[in-house]
Amino acid sequence: MASQTHPQSLFPLQKMTLVKTELSLSKLVIPTKPITNEQLSTYHEALSYVATDYKNQLNPDVNRICYETLNNEQCESFSGLTKQQIQQLATEYNLTEQNIFLFYTKCNTDNSDRLPGTMFGMSHQLISRCFNQCIEDPYNSLVSDELGVNSWNRKNINEHTPQFAKDLLQIDPNNVVVCMDGFPIYIEKPGDFALQKLTWSSQTLRNCVKFHCITTLDGTFVGIQGSYGATGHNNEETIIDSLTNNNYLFDTEDNEVNIYHNNMTQTLFFKNVLQDNDILILDRRYTRMKKRHYQIKTLQSIPKSKTHLSTKQANESRFLVTFHRNVVERAIGRLKKWKLLQNRVVYQYVSKLHEIVSILVSTINKFDGPLYKDPLNKYKYIKTIVQHISDSQNELQELTNKNQSHLWKLVARNRNKIID
């Protein structure tokens, strides 16, 4: 386990893989000698497939849903993707349309394997196998095209930064700006006591795992880091410290205790893309992070001796941080639209949760548009807003101070038009 100065990872869980057995039903024989429990389980699974196929042949008239007969609207209500989008994924990455449909249907509905098995005339074991197989294939193809340093460089990030944001933040042409935030995903209570402690969050009072995401200023995902534990040693501060600590990152290849030892790709963005003086827009949970060579923009806190922020501090927090951090919050909300991530994730999928989240994030990047576009009518207000940010004069306060002796009364401009 990593020391308390760095976040604790759930990566060892991801080494757990489901054992695949290629069964030939034509060679199935009834065992005549004593067999082990593992052999009996395999035999029982194969027998279940045979029984399901035989049952379907006996009841050919039972109404079942077939993927080929679904139209776009029906396909989207099940899987969250249109039929053209599923066909596009199958064509570009050499995947099976039905497996893609079953995977996204599971993510979009979060039903047990038995329900879609009954609906589509398949055994729940086969549904589970298709789901797990479809985790591996898109993760090795779709994710590599949409996330990470293979698809994101400084030029691409700059193209996904709206010009309005560049002018408002006064970004140097040689620098880039990104948003970062963390979010939890709730899971079932693990049976292992050590994992119970590692995934228990004293903030939400539930078992969960944490992820860390990077987005551009138009809401497009750049990278996903995780999954991390949910204890107090796994907050945004320790996560960003571990990702930006050069000595810790250079140690990932040789040190097996390092939490990124087998997940070096998650650290490459900080090694190869970000440079000195780049701008990171963060929230207050990153306030105590160790000083780096980046420009950190976070919400300012009220000093102990004051009752409120100064006018300049409030303007900077409002226009330079809150206005731009809106996209990362909305991007996480768009990710949580998948019901598999809204509810508690069953324990059998916790070991593959990083792959599932990465696939869904890549799907959003591929098919959903940006969350923020350049507004044409706002360019004329850039100079006014920038001047207003640096202005320390509170006009409302001065107006009230000059007219303290007057009686103030709020009057609606359209009170004559109001109908009781």
Side-chain angles (χ1 to χ4, degrees):
M1 183 177 294
S3 63
Q4 293 184 354
T5 57
H6 299 292
Q8 296 163 305
S9 173
L10 294 182
F11 292 140
L13 289 176
Q14 298 180 3
K15 297 179 181 178
M16 300 166 55
T17 56
L18 296 178
V19 179
K20 297 181 182 178
T21 55
E22 298 296 335
L23 300 172
S24 177
L25 299 183
S26 60
K27 297 181 180 180
L28 181 66
V29 294
I30 299 176
T32 57
K33 298 181 180 180
I35 58 177
T36 63
N37 290 335
E38 184 177 358
Q39 293 172 330
L40 182 61
S41 176
T42 304
Y43 174 76
H44 180 269
E45 182 180 2
L47 195 62
S48 176
Y49 295 153
V50 175
T52 301
D53 293 339
Y54 181 70
K55 181 180 178 181
N56 294 339
Q57 293 176 4
L58 292 179
N59 300 279
D61 299 329
V62 176
N63 293 327
R64 294 187 177 88
I65 298 174
C66 182
Y67 165 73
E68 287 76 10
T69 61
L70 296 178
N71 56 34
N72 273 332
E73 184 178 356
Q74 294 170 336
C75 185
E76 189 171 6
S77 65
F78 276 111
S79 64
L81 298 180
T82 63
K83 209 161 188 179
Q84 286 80 1
Q85 291 172 340
I86 292 178
Q87 292 172 352
Q88 181 179 347
L89 289 175
T91 304
E92 291 182 6
Y93 302 110
N94 195 24
L95 304 175
T96 306
E97 289 187 30
Q98 185 174 4
N99 287 354
I100 298 174
F101 173 74
L102 292 175
F103 171 81
Y104 285 104
T105 298
K106 175 73 175 178
C107 294
N108 193 45
T109 60
D110 194 27
N111 293 320
S112 65
D113 294 336
R114 294 184 182 275
L115 181 58
T118 303
M119 294 170 59
F120 300 112
M122 304 167 63
S123 66
H124 66 90
Q125 295 96 336
L126 183 58
I127 294 289
S128 179
R129 279 184 27 172
C130 291
F131 181 79
N132 285 282
Q133 180 62 38
C134 205
I135 291 176
E136 297 178 6
D137 296 337
Y139 182 76
N140 296 327
S141 54
L142 173 64
V143 175
S144 61
D145 286 351
E146 297 293 335
L147 296 179
V149 295
N150 292 332
S151 56
W152 286 98
N153 51 37
R154 299 178 66 83
K155 181 180 178 181
N156 293 339
I157 294 175
N158 187 58
E159 291 175 353
H160 282 266
T161 304
Q163 187 62 41
F164 180 78
K166 295 179 182 178
D167 296 339
L168 193 58
L169 291 169
Q170 299 180 354
I171 302 174
D172 188 276
N174 296 324
N175 297 335
V176 297
V177 54
V178 292
C179 292
M180 299 183 187
D181 202 2
F183 60 93
I185 293 179
Y186 301 113
I187 64 172
E188 285 185 345
K189 182 179 180 180
D192 184 84
F193 181 69
L195 289 178
Q196 288 182 29
K197 292 177 61 179
L198 183 58
T199 58
W200 176 255
S201 171
S202 58
Q203 180 181 7
T204 61
L205 300 180
R206 298 175 65 177
N207 290 99
C208 61
V209 294
K210 298 194 70 173
F211 285 86
H212 187 262
C213 69
I214 307 170
T215 68
T216 60
L217 291 192
D218 68 350
T220 306
F221 286 97
V222 176
I224 291 287
Q225 291 84 36
S227 53
Y228 302 97
T231 61
H233 299 295
N234 296 272
N235 51 34
E236 280 74 5
E237 175 191 341
T238 54
I239 291 174
I240 194 65
D241 284 342
S242 67
L243 290 170
T244 56
N245 188 337
N246 291 331
N247 294 331
Y248 190 68
L249 295 183
F250 289 144
D251 192 41
T252 56
E253 186 174 357
D254 300 326
N255 188 0
E256 295 183 358
V257 181
N258 192 304
I259 62 174
Y260 303 113
H261 176 63
N262 293 321
N263 298 271
M264 294 177 57
T265 55
Q266 298 186 20
T267 68
L268 295 179
F269 180 80
F270 296 88
K271 284 183 178 180
N272 304 336
V273 179
L274 288 184
Q275 298 178 3
D276 294 349
N277 295 322
D278 286 340
I279 301 175
L280 309 183
I281 299 180
L282 314 170
D283 64 6
R284 283 197 182 95
R285 290 174 292 184
Y286 295 86
T287 304
R288 295 183 178 180
M289 64 174 288
K290 295 181 179 179
K291 292 184 178 181
R292 307 299 184 199
H293 297 291
Y294 308 121
Q295 299 182 50
I296 307 298
K297 293 188 180 297
T298 60
L299 294 172
Q300 301 191 39
S301 301
I302 301 175
K304 292 184 179 179
S305 59
K306 303 291 184 180
T307 58
H308 56 80
L309 293 175
S310 66
T311 304
K312 185 177 181 180
Q313 289 175 331
N315 289 337
E316 289 178 351
S317 295
R318 185 181 300 113
F319 291 106
L320 300 184
V321 181
T322 305
F323 179 81
H324 298 293
R325 263 190 44 79
N326 174 269
V327 292
V328 68
E329 299 287 355
R330 291 165 58 197
I332 294 173
R334 189 156 65 173
L335 174 63
K336 292 290 186 76
K337 75 175 183 179
W338 299 96
K339 292 184 179 179
L340 180 68
L341 305 183
Q342 288 180 13
N343 306 325
R344 288 189 306 172
V345 178
V346 295
Y347 184 69
Q348 70 184 88
Y349 295 135
V350 174
S351 61
K352 293 182 175 291
L353 199 51
H354 173 76
E355 287 87 344
I356 295 174
V357 172
S358 299
I359 292 172
L360 296 180
V361 163
S362 302
T363 305
I364 292 173
N365 280 3
K366 189 172 185 64
F367 297 119
D368 294 351
L371 289 171
Y372 181 85
K373 296 181 180 179
D374 272 324
L376 299 177
N377 60 338
K378 284 188 177 181
Y379 282 114
K380 56 184 178 181
Y381 301 117
I382 286 288
K383 293 182 179 179
T384 304
I385 295 175
V386 173
Q387 182 180 1
H388 182 66
I389 292 174
S390 59
D391 187 9
S392 60
Q393 181 180 3
N394 190 330
E395 297 178 1
L396 179 60
Q397 185 177 6
E398 290 187 359
L399 183 62
T400 53
N401 291 337
K402 291 180 180 179
N403 298 275
Q404 290 182 356
S405 58
H406 293 74
L407 178 63
W408 291 85
K409 185 178 181 180
L410 295 177
V411 179
R413 293 183 178 180
N414 59 343
R415 62 176 181 174
N416 297 329
K417 299 180 183 180
I418 296 177
I419 302 175
D420 295 333

